[in-house]
Amino acid sequence: MLSLLVWLPILGGVGVLFAGRDNADRARWTALAVAGLTLLLGVALWFGFEVGVAGMQFVERVSWIQAFGVEYYLGVDGISMPLVVLTAFSTLLVVIAAWEVVRYKPAQYLAAFLIMEGVMIGVFSALDAILFYVFFEAMLIPMFLIIGIWGGPNRIYATLKFFIYTFLGSVMMLVALIYLRTEAGSFAIQDFYGLALPFTTQVLVFLAFLAAFAVKVPMFPVHTWLPDAHVEAPTGGSVILAAITLKIGGYGFLRFSLPIAPEASMALDWLLISLSLIAVVYIGLVAMVQEDLKKLIAYSSIAHMGFVTLAFFLIFRIFAASGSRDAALLALEGGLVQMISHGFVSAAMFLCVGVLYDRMHTRRIADYGGVANRMPVFAGLFVFFAMANAGLPGTSGFVGEFMVILASFQAGFWYAAIAGLTLILGAAYSLWMIKRVVYGEVRNPEVDKLRDVDLRERLLLGSLAGVVLLFGLYPAPLINVMAPSLDALFGIVVPTP
């Protein structure tokens, strides 16, 4: 099952590249078939997943590079499985979104996204450290091409900045993985969990992982590549960056940093909490003054992911202050729910910007105003997603944030109060954006010529609205899947009698 999910889109992408080179329609239909089949496999994975089991499921393990003990080792648990399904869902949306918009080399464009889909599913499924690293690095190539070929005027600067930041961080991680192999005698990630590493060694390993994953999240102050990448990326590139790529940073903290270096994670939690709170407050304020729609949503993503890292590293203080394992687990669950929710909401926000850009060819907020007069259906969906981004109750954006704020009270009032600023600042920049773009009088004659969303765009945005509403009103299926695995993780990170 997992090999199919990894290799079907990769091989399908290669097929699209060659079969659709001279026929754009063939490329589109082939890409749609591959992405659709991959999502069906993802749905089958969800329903075949045994809820209540903490361990790895759908495990595949064979020797790969025998001389070095490297294995082709795949498996998913309640932490990684929802991210696999999110990846498959987001890629299908990107393929549909590009149907009429991408005219320049559509086969290559769609192939890059399909190959990236397989690689990202590989990242979430890999249980061998070198296999994880190969997939982790391989993600750079298709995204580098997507931004560099189909991006905006400053795409070369954005791609180089994206590549340098992420590559330098991941080299540090490789050094840590090789060291851990010498200690564990294996590259199996779960074998690293039982190592009794000295505290100084744990700190060095933790910092190496932090260099890789902080850039991916991205955390303050290594966040500056993301707004540039978002602004220059085509709509599909922004969707995958926000919905999936950023989540790999959060996933890395859960899979590597916390369980492999628990003492260092506890000792340095002040650093991660401080950087997360800066992201929540400072980056939220930066978002409020943006004049570019994509930049505003990009900074919003950094603020929301800061909320995720806050939840993951606040668990030590929550448990120390309250002695409650349930309260700490609530923070972990809330952080992971927020990650999944942000994947759907941010994808929807960038698709909405893409809808406007395809018609107006501008992202400047000042160029809009009164869009609701010409595009009432779109306006309703855009407002809905903006409210989900702000954490409106009844949407998935509220659930994770509420769980984390509730848990944060156990660590201290001020943690919860500052974390709660996410909701206030999120409402401020979301409402400010909506007021200037959607409502008011039509000031630009070009806005008066706008046409409302067509059937394809309604399908895209409507499906995302349905998922955001579903998990906002009934998050239990998602929480039930992840809870046992997070409980097991907490037992490794904070051993309790």
Side-chain angles (χ1 to χ4, degrees):
M1 175 72 82
L2 291 177
S3 286
L4 274 173
L5 278 161
V6 171
W7 294 107
L8 173 64
I10 292 175
L11 297 176
V14 174
V16 169
L17 190 62
F18 289 102
R21 178 178 293 176
D22 301 319
N23 191 321
D25 286 337
R26 185 192 303 153
R28 293 185 181 102
W29 284 107
T30 306
L32 180 64
V34 172
L37 187 54
T38 306
L39 179 58
L40 288 176
L41 287 171
V43 172
L45 183 77
W46 180 286
F47 286 104
F49 188 86
E50 189 176 348
V51 179
V53 175
M56 294 294 168
Q57 301 181 40
F58 301 97
V59 174
E60 302 172 33
R61 189 172 192 175
V62 293
S63 179
W64 179 23
I65 308 174
Q66 194 167 1
F68 299 105
V70 180
E71 297 175 300
Y72 178 78
Y73 186 11
L74 302 177
V76 290
D77 60 1
I79 298 170
S80 54
M81 190 274 288
L83 293 166
V84 169
V85 179
L86 174 64
T87 303
F89 181 73
S90 301
T91 305
L92 180 60
L93 295 181
V94 167
V95 171
I96 297 172
W99 202 265
E100 297 176 1
V101 177
V102 178
R103 299 293 181 183
Y104 178 69
K105 297 184 181 296
Q108 290 85 336
Y109 180 86
L110 295 169
F113 279 107
L114 289 175
I115 292 169
M116 189 163 183
E117 175 185 18
V119 171
M120 291 187 298
I121 291 174
V123 169
F124 294 128
S125 305
L127 297 179
D128 179 276
I130 295 300
L131 184 63
F132 173 87
Y133 183 77
V134 168
F135 284 132
F136 189 85
E137 289 291 74
M139 286 192 316
L140 292 176
I141 300 169
M143 185 54 73
F144 184 89
L145 295 173
I146 288 164
I147 301 174
I149 296 174
W150 293 275
N154 295 320
R155 59 187 180 274
I156 303 302
Y157 168 76
T159 49
L160 288 174
K161 193 173 182 180
F162 164 70
F163 185 87
I164 291 168
Y165 268 66
T166 50
F167 181 75
L168 289 178
S170 58
V171 168
M172 302 286 290
M173 177 177 68
L174 178 61
V175 174
L177 294 176
I178 293 171
Y179 170 78
L180 291 168
R181 160 68 173 83
T182 64
E183 294 295 311
S186 158
F187 275 116
I189 294 170
Q190 290 178 305
D191 289 350
F192 298 163
Y193 295 173
L195 294 174
L197 299 174
F199 177 73
T200 304
T201 304
Q202 281 199 34
V203 169
L204 293 173
V205 168
F206 178 86
L207 292 175
F209 287 138
L210 179 63
F213 301 134
V215 171
K216 283 287 186 189
V217 168
M219 298 183 70
F220 177 89
V222 289
H223 65 283
T224 56
W225 66 268
L226 184 67
D228 292 324
H230 270 308
V231 167
E232 299 305 324
T235 299
S238 291
V239 168
I240 294 300
L241 268 174
I244 312 298
T245 306
L246 308 190
K247 310 305 174 288
I248 290 170
Y251 173 78
F253 284 130
L254 292 178
R255 187 66 79 211
F256 289 88
S257 304
L258 286 167
I260 294 173
E263 293 177 23
S265 298
M266 184 183 297
L268 295 174
D269 68 344
W270 62 270
L271 174 63
L272 276 295
I273 291 169
S274 300
L275 295 178
S276 299
L277 291 175
I278 290 171
V280 167
V281 180
Y282 168 66
I283 303 297
L285 292 172
V286 171
M288 290 180 67
V289 299
Q290 295 307 308
E291 297 178 355
D292 183 293
L293 276 169
K294 267 195 171 184
K295 269 200 173 182
L296 189 152
I297 300 168
Y299 281 113
S300 164
S301 293
I302 298 168
H304 281 91
M305 288 304 295
F307 199 84
V308 171
T309 52
L310 173 67
F312 291 164
F313 286 92
L314 202 56
I315 58 172
F316 301 105
R317 302 194 177 214
I318 292 171
F319 186 73
S322 67
S324 171
R325 184 188 182 103
D326 290 342
L329 282 173
L330 186 65
L332 279 176
E333 291 168 4
L336 193 49
V337 168
Q338 175 67 4
M339 269 175 59
I340 303 294
S341 168
H342 180 260
F344 293 119
V345 175
S346 62
M349 293 288 283
F350 280 112
L351 284 172
C352 285
V353 174
V355 168
L356 291 173
Y357 185 80
D358 292 340
R359 290 159 169 77
M360 293 273 291
H361 303 289
T362 176
R363 292 185 303 268
R364 290 186 68 247
I365 295 173
D367 292 337
Y368 292 93
V371 169
N373 295 298
R374 303 301 303 162
M375 304 174 68
V377 175
F378 169 80
L381 289 165
F382 196 21
V383 170
F384 174 77
F385 292 128
M387 292 300 95
N389 195 49
L392 182 73
T395 66
S396 61
F398 172 76
V399 177
E401 294 184 356
F402 177 73
M403 292 170 73
V404 174
I405 292 171
L406 197 61
S408 300
F409 270 108
Q410 301 295 326
F413 169 79
W414 289 110
Y415 291 116
I418 298 174
L421 285 175
T422 308
L423 295 169
I424 298 170
L425 293 173
Y429 56 68
S430 297
L431 289 170
W432 183 228
M433 174 188 68
I434 289 297
K435 177 182 182 296
R436 290 180 289 171
V437 173
V438 175
Y439 296 116
E441 297 296 324
V442 176
R443 298 184 300 272
N444 186 339
E446 295 301 314
V447 172
D448 213 29
K449 301 175 186 176
L450 292 175
R451 68 186 189 283
D452 211 343
V453 283
D454 58 26
L455 182 61
R456 176 182 60 86
E457 293 163 333
R458 291 184 190 208
L459 174 65
L460 284 171
L461 298 177
S463 60
L464 282 165
V467 175
V468 169
L469 201 57
L470 171 65
F471 286 126
L473 297 174
Y474 187 56
L478 188 58
I479 295 171
N480 292 341
V481 161
M482 62 179 63
S485 297
L486 289 173
D487 185 62
L489 173 68
F490 185 80
I492 297 169
V493 177
V494 186
T496 53

